[in-house]
């Protein structure tokens, strides 16, 4: 699996430091509030466990499963709610945990859903912020790294549901993409 990676962008140690930094900041910002840490499956799994362990403050953990990429390299543009969260978010402070915000469509969908349900506040803590990819106007509140416009995998991020278990974030070798996906990726702006 490591042989499919062209270059490591963020090492295990880099990511651990980012999780510590953001976990400590969240503990400070949410002291006495008991927020809900809302992990967006599947990509945010590793980021969730590392940030929550670094946050020395009361918090509940919830999961929601939404998907927009359907396994490929480019956002499909439509968001599918695969598994909804079961907790009532009305009046609650929500911290959305994401692995990456790219076009911003998934995040916008999530924020609108939580607003409709009456959340008291909604913030976002994302390991990666790919600002160049943005097609909707939405910002990330807590950012691990500003990532360049490359197709990255590892530490939760996948290509065709693989590579999530790499402990670092890296750039996939172009030779690994299918010809069809490669054409799509090269067409990205
Ligand atoms: C990825 C990622 C974010 C979203 C970001 O999820 O985990 O949720 O895409 O992209 P966007 O800003 O362009 O919407 P994906 O749909 O691949 O599902 P997964 O987490 O299960 O891999």
């Amino acid at each position: 699996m490591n042989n499919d990676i062209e270059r490591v962008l963020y090492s295990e140690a880099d990511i651990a430091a980012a999780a510590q930094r953001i976990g400590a900041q969240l503990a400070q910002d949410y002291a006495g509030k008991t927020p809900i840490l809302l992990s967006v499956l599947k990509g945010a799994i590793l980021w969730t466990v590392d940030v929550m362990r670094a946050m020395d403050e009361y918090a509940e953990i919830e999961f929601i499963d939404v998907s927009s990429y359907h396994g490929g390299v480019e956002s499909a543009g439509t968001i599918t709610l695969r598994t909804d969260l079961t907790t009532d978010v009305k009046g609650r402070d929500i911290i959305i945990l994401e692995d990456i915000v790219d076009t911003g469509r998934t995040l916008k969908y999530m924020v609108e859903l939580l607003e409709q349900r009456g959340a008291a506040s909604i913030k976002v803590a994302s390991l990666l912020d790919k600002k160049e990819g943005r097609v909707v106007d939405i910002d990330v509140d807590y950012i691990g790294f500003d990532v360049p416009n490359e197709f990255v995998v590892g530490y939760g991020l996948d290509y065709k549901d693989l590579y999530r278990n790499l402990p670092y974030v890296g750039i996939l070798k172009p030779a690994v993409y299918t010809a069809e996906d490669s054409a799509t990726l090269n067409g990205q702006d």
Side-chain angles (χ1 to χ4, degrees):
M1 184 168 62
N2 274 289
N3 290 337
D4 294 348
I5 304 303
E6 187 166 88
R7 186 159 59 92
V8 174
L9 275 185
Y10 308 111
S11 70
E12 211 173 337
D14 294 336
I15 295 169
Q20 284 296 328
R21 170 171 56 82
I22 290 179
Q25 187 66 53
L26 290 173
Q28 197 177 311
D29 294 353
Y30 286 84
K33 288 188 171 169
T34 313
I36 295 175
L37 293 175
L38 182 56
S39 177
V40 186
L41 296 171
K42 304 176 195 169
I45 46 172
L46 297 182
W47 180 237
T48 298
V49 296
D50 285 344
V51 169
M52 65 190 259
R53 281 187 295 193
M55 183 180 172
D56 183 13
E57 191 48 75
Y58 296 106
E60 294 173 25
I61 318 297
E62 293 290 336
F63 297 90
I64 190 166
D65 188 1
V66 294
S67 180
S68 65
Y69 282 74
H70 311 301
V73 293
E74 193 178 40
S75 167
T78 52
I79 314 297
T80 310
L81 179 56
R82 293 196 288 214
T83 308
D84 203 347
L85 79 171
T86 50
T87 300
D88 185 4
V89 298
K90 195 168 179 3
R92 301 297 304 272
D93 296 305
I94 312 293
I95 304 164
I96 298 171
L97 292 175
E98 268 286 21
D99 53 330
I100 188 166
V101 178
D102 186 351
T103 66
R105 289 190 186 110
T106 307
L107 185 54
K108 185 162 184 277
Y109 173 91
M110 297 278 309
V111 168
E112 286 174 355
L113 187 76
L114 295 165
E115 279 175 351
Q116 280 166 18
R117 293 177 181 180
S121 72
I122 305 162
K123 298 278 186 187
V124 186
S126 184
L127 170 68
L128 304 178
D129 186 3
K130 193 190 276 188
K131 292 190 174 75
E132 277 180 67
R134 212 66 107 247
V135 299
V136 297
D137 187 18
I138 197 154
D139 290 329
V140 178
D141 304 287
Y142 301 88
I143 301 167
F145 303 99
D146 279 303
V147 69
N149 199 11
E150 303 270 7
F151 190 70
V152 290
V153 296
Y155 193 76
L157 292 125
D158 73 306
Y159 172 60
K160 298 200 166 173
D161 254 327
L162 300 176
Y163 305 103
R164 295 191 201 274
N165 52 322
L166 284 173
Y168 55 82
V169 171
I171 298 172
L172 200 58
K173 284 180 182 166
V176 177
Y177 306 149
T178 63
E180 187 188 342
D181 281 344
S182 180
T184 307
L185 185 65
N186 290 335
Q188 278 186 336
D189 48 26

